[in-house]
Amino acid sequence: MEKIKVKICQGTTCFVMGGEVIKSIHDTLVEKYADKIEIVPVRCLEVCHDADSFSQAPYVYVNDEVVSAATVDKVISVIESKLKNE
Amino acid sequence: MNNTPELETRRLKREVLVRIIKAFMSDNYAENVRLIPYDMRPKGSEVPFRCCVYKERAVLRSRTIAGLGFAMEDDDERTLLSDFAQQALTRQVPEPEPLTVLQNACKGCPSAQVFVTELCQNCVAKPCMKACNFGAISNNGKRSIIDQDKCKKCGMCMNACPYHAIVKTIVPCEEACPVGAIAKGEDGLAHIDKDKCISCGKCVSACPFGAPHAKSQVIDVLSKIKQGKEVIAMFAPALVGHLPCTPEQFIDAFKKIGFSDVYEVAQGADTTIQVEAHDLQERLEQGAPFMTTSCCAAYNELVKKHIPEIKPYVSDAHTPLYYTAEIVKKEHPNAETVFISPCFAKRKEALDNPNVNNVLNFEELGAIFIAYGIEVDTCEEKEYAFKSSKEARDFPLSGGVARSVQAAWKGNPEDLKPTIINGLTKATVRDLKVYAKTGKCQLGNLIEVMCCEGGCIAGNAGLNTVKMALKKVTDYSSKSYSLKEDK
C-alpha cells in the first residue's frame, strides 16, 4: 500500500494564522499514523496569495486534497476517508 | 499563549489586522477599512459564531476599531470605520492603555459560583455541610443546596465531596487576571479597571469570545514608514521562537517592510545582565535580604500599582529594551524606534520611555508579513553587527535571567541563591506581598519574576507553541559565546 503523503505548509501565512496548530497536527499524525503516511514539510505553495485566501490558512495537503483552515480533526478525517477508500 | 482556549479568536484578530494593513496599502484606505466587516461577512454568508450576520459584523467592526488602535470605551457606535481609519493616520501618541474590552463581543458570562449538581447522592455523612465555614449549605431532603448569598466561593465543599458532585463555574477573564483588574460590571459585561490593570494580557488569552483586545499600533508604524522616516526595529529575543525562519533572516525580512535597520534587544540584555549582577552583589554586601529582577514590564506595573512596598527590593537595572533603545537613539538620533514584543505590557513601558516610539507585537508583525506577501524563510541571511551572548539570547526563558546573573556573578558563587517566579497568578502575587512585608524570602536571594508561565516566549501575543519557541531560542543561543567562558 502506498503511503499517504501529507504536506504541511511551513510558509509565513500558514504559520501566522495557525503556527500553534501546525505543530500539533504534525505531532498527532506522527503518533497516530506512523506507518501509513509520509509527512512532508513544504514551503509556501502560494494558495494563500490570492485575494482573501490568506484567511483560510493554515493549509495542509493530503495527497492532492487541500485542507483549508486546517485543524487536527479536519486533517484526520480526510486521512481516514482516504484510508477507507483504499 | 497561556490557557489558549481556541485558536478561532486569535485567527479572527489576525485576519482583521491583515485586512487593515491591506487597506492601508491600497489606494482607497478609509473606504476599504469601512468594508472590512462586510468583506468578512458578505451578504448571504454563513454565520459561524454569533446569532446573526449583523452581530458578526458589529463585532468585526469593534475588532477593526481596536486594530486601528482605539479604545472601544470611546466608541459612540455611530462613527464610521472610515472615520476611525482617518483618525488613526493623524494620531501622534499611542493610546495610554494597551488593552480594551469589546463590549459587544463579551458574552456577559454567568457570575462565578459554586453549586451542587444533580450528581449529589444525598449521602449520610454530608461532608460538604461540615466543610463549609460559612453555614451556606443546607439540605432539602434530596440533595445539598448552597445559599449563594452566604457562599464565599472558597471551594472547601468541592474538595470534601466524595462524588465530585459540587462544581465551581468561573468567569475566564476574572479567573485569569492575577490582580482582579477585570470584572463584570453592573451591565454584566467585563470591564478593565485601568488603575489596577498591569497589561499582562492574560484575559486576552483566556476569553473564548475574544472580547479583551489589544489596541494595535500597526497604522502608526506603517504610516511612519510610508512617510519615508527612518524607522528602526528592535526585536525581543523571544521573536526567534515565533517566526518560521532563522534569526539571521530577520534583517532582510524587516527591511522588506521598510524598516531601515534591525537591532536585537539581546544587545541591551547584555548590559542588563552586568548591571543586575553588580547591583545584587552590592545589595547583598550591604545586608539586603533579597532582590527581584526588573525586566518584566507586567511585573513592573504590578510593583507600581499593587506592591509599592517591594520597590526597594527591585533591581535598579533597566530593561534590555531600555538599553537597546538608548544605543539605537545614540547611533541614529533622528530615527523612530519600534519594539517588536511578545506581550502587551511593554506598550506601557514604551510610553514612559521617550527612546521607544512604538510597539508592535508578534501577531501584528505576522499580519504585516502576510499583507505584504513576505515569505520570511526565503529572505537573505545577514549577520548582526553586535554579537550578543548566549545568556542574553536566553533572556526570554523562565530561569534565563537568573542563569544570566549567575553567569556574570563576580562574587562567591555560594552567596548567590536564585529562585524563580514562573508566572504571575493570584497566588504568586500573594507570595511577593509576603516577601515585601516581612523583608524575607526563604527560597533565595535573587527572585526572578516573569509574568508569563514559561517566560516571554509564552507571551500573550505569541505565534508559536511554547515548546517549539523554546527549542528555537535555545538552538540560536547555543551558537553564541557564553559569559561563563568569558570570565
Side-chain angles (χ1 to χ4, degrees):
Chain A
M1 190 177 87
E2 204 169 306
K3 282 188 178 178
I4 295 175
K5 219 179 219 178
V6 180
K7 294 185 200 161
I8 302 180
C9 181
Q10 310 288 307
T12 305
T13 302
C14 287
F15 184 85
V16 172
M17 293 301 288
E20 299 98 331
V21 210
I22 290 174
K23 170 73 180 147
S24 62
I25 292 176
H26 180 273
D27 292 354
T28 314
L29 295 189
V30 168
E31 199 192 329
K32 201 170 154 92
Y33 299 107
D35 49 342
K36 291 179 185 144
I37 63 169
E38 183 191 354
I39 299 177
V40 196
V42 291
R43 280 207 163 151
C44 178
L45 296 164
E46 298 187 3
V47 268
C48 58
H49 284 191
D50 3 291
D52 292 344
S53 52
F54 76 89
S55 65
Q56 292 304 305
Y59 291 97
V60 170
Y61 295 75
V62 180
N63 284 341
D64 289 326
E65 189 171 337
V66 184
V67 185
S68 57
T71 60
V72 176
D73 291 345
K74 269 191 180 176
V75 174
I76 286 179
S77 88
V78 176
I79 292 175
E80 286 293 336
S81 75
K82 294 230 186 286
L83 286 174
K84 242 181 242 165
N85 292 340
E86 286 208 9
Chain B
M1 300 261 299
N2 306 325
N3 312 318
T4 311
E6 297 294 338
L7 189 66
E8 280 310 328
T9 58
R10 293 175 178 278
R11 286 170 50 89
L12 275 171
K13 289 174 190 178
R14 292 170 195 174
E15 181 177 351
V16 169
L17 283 169
V18 175
R19 287 179 184 273
I20 291 172
I21 299 159
K22 285 193 168 195
F24 180 79
M25 295 159 71
S26 74
D27 297 331
N28 208 353
Y29 161 62
E31 174 64 3
N32 286 339
V33 168
R34 186 185 72 81
L35 291 174
I36 288 173
Y38 303 93
D39 288 341
M40 287 178 70
R41 298 290 178 266
K43 183 180 172 185
S45 76
E46 279 180 42
V47 180
F49 306 119
R50 308 279 174 171
C51 58
C52 62
V53 77
Y54 309 104
K55 173 84 178 182
E56 291 264 337
R57 287 180 195 149
V59 177
L60 290 168
R61 174 181 174 278
S62 297
R63 294 196 193 287
T64 308
I65 294 171
L68 290 166
F70 294 101
M72 282 318 296
E73 290 79 2
D74 301 338
D75 173 35
D76 59 8
E77 296 184 12
R78 47 186 283 175
T79 306
L80 287 171
L81 277 182
S82 44
D83 292 341
F84 277 110
Q86 291 295 357
Q87 284 172 39
L89 289 179
T90 54
R91 179 172 44 223
Q92 296 301 317
V93 185
E95 286 265 334
E97 298 305 319
L99 301 177
T100 180
V101 179
L102 313 185
Q103 301 282 297
N104 57 7
C106 177
K107 164 80 177 167
C109 308
S111 297
Q113 60 171 313
V114 179
F115 68 88
V116 184
T117 67
E118 288 174 1
L119 299 170
C120 171
Q121 300 299 310
N122 197 22
C123 64
V124 172
K126 302 210 173 18
C128 56
M129 290 175 72
K130 292 188 190 114
C132 182
N133 290 320
F134 309 103
I137 303 184
S138 58
N139 187 282
N140 67 0
K142 287 179 185 156
R143 65 166 138 140
S144 293
I145 292 171
I146 298 176
D147 180 342
Q148 294 299 336
D149 291 334
K150 290 183 184 165
C151 176
K152 306 279 184 212
K153 304 180 183 73
C154 67
M156 296 294 274
C157 57
M158 284 165 58
N159 298 334
C161 176
Y163 297 99
H164 293 201
I166 304 177
V167 296
K168 183 181 181 183
T169 61
I170 59 162
V171 179
C173 60
E174 288 181 1
E175 183 81 1
C177 180
V179 291
I182 189 164
K184 286 157 63 70
E186 279 173 11
D187 56 3
L189 304 175
H191 295 269
I192 295 175
D193 179 345
K194 68 174 168 48
D195 296 329
K196 290 185 184 169
C197 178
I198 59 171
S199 306
C200 66
K202 287 182 196 278
C203 56
V204 176
S205 291
C207 175
F209 286 88
H213 208 295
K215 298 176 203 162
S216 173
Q217 298 177 16
V218 275
I219 293 300
D220 309 54
V221 173
L222 294 176
S223 298
K224 286 177 183 176
I225 290 175
K226 198 174 181 180
Q227 288 159 23
K229 291 186 177 163
E230 181 186 15
V231 185
I232 293 177
M234 311 178 287
F235 69 87
L239 183 65
V240 172
H242 288 270
L243 283 179
C245 66
T246 67
E248 288 83 2
Q249 289 172 313
F250 290 178
I251 298 178
D252 192 30
F254 276 105
K255 286 193 174 174
K256 284 190 168 133
I257 299 173
F259 286 94
S260 57
D261 210 345
V262 183
Y263 282 71
E264 283 188 87
V265 169
Q267 180 169 354
D270 267 315
T271 308
T272 302
I273 293 168
Q274 297 303 335
V275 176
E276 200 150 322
H278 182 75
D279 189 13
L280 178 64
Q281 198 175 352
E282 257 185 17
R283 284 167 184 256
L284 294 183
E285 279 165 12
Q286 288 163 10
F290 64 86
M291 180 186 91
T292 81
T293 55
S294 57
C295 43
C296 171
Y299 171 58
N300 290 335
E301 286 290 300
L302 175 77
V303 171
K304 217 186 288 173
K305 291 179 174 168
H306 299 274
I307 328 180
E309 62 271 25
I310 208 167
K311 182 72 185 146
Y313 300 101
V314 179
S315 174
D316 296 322
H318 290 298
T319 66
L321 172 60
Y322 179 95
Y323 294 118
T324 309
E326 196 173 56
I327 294 164
V328 174
K329 287 281 185 177
K330 205 179 243 176
E331 294 177 5
H332 307 267
N334 302 318
E336 292 283 327
T337 53
V338 181
F339 177 54
I340 312 294
S341 166
C343 85
F344 307 115
K346 281 283 177 186
R347 292 194 210 257
K348 271 299 219 196
E349 181 183 326
L351 278 172
D352 295 334
N353 184 344
N355 287 339
V356 185
N357 301 113
N358 287 103
V359 179
L360 286 183
N361 67 43
F362 294 175
E363 286 186 316
E364 291 155 1
L365 175 70
I368 296 175
F369 284 136
I370 293 180
Y372 279 54
I374 297 169
E375 278 305 321
V376 292
D377 70 340
T378 61
C379 288
E380 202 185 318
E381 296 209 322
K382 286 179 182 153
E383 291 292 315
Y384 291 94
F386 182 90
K387 300 270 177 294
S388 304
S389 68
K390 172 187 184 302
E391 285 77 9
R393 286 173 174 166
D394 276 345
F395 236 59
L397 314 179
S398 173
V401 177
R403 282 196 298 275
S404 78
V405 173
Q406 262 175 322
W409 186 247
K410 302 219 163 54
N412 183 350
E414 283 168 22
D415 293 344
L416 177 60
K417 298 184 193 74
T419 178
I420 289 164
I421 291 188
N422 181 15
L424 288 177
T425 60
K426 291 181 178 77
T428 52
V429 169
R430 262 197 307 275
D431 290 344
L432 284 164
K433 282 185 177 163
V434 171
Y435 301 153
K437 205 169 176 187
T438 59
K440 273 186 216 149
C441 173
Q442 309 286 358
L443 301 171
N445 53 22
L446 170 65
I447 308 177
E448 178 200 281
V449 186
M450 291 202 188
C451 177
C452 296
E453 195 183 331
C456 314
I457 52 164
N460 288 294
L463 295 171
N464 207 351
T465 60
V466 179
K467 215 167 122 188
M468 283 305 289
L470 174 68
K471 185 179 182 310
K472 291 194 78 169
V473 169
T474 47
D475 282 353
Y476 180 52
S477 70
S478 63
K479 292 193 289 184
S480 283
Y481 68 94
S482 168
L483 295 173
K484 282 186 201 158
E485 294 155 17
D486 204 35
K487 270 189 193 174

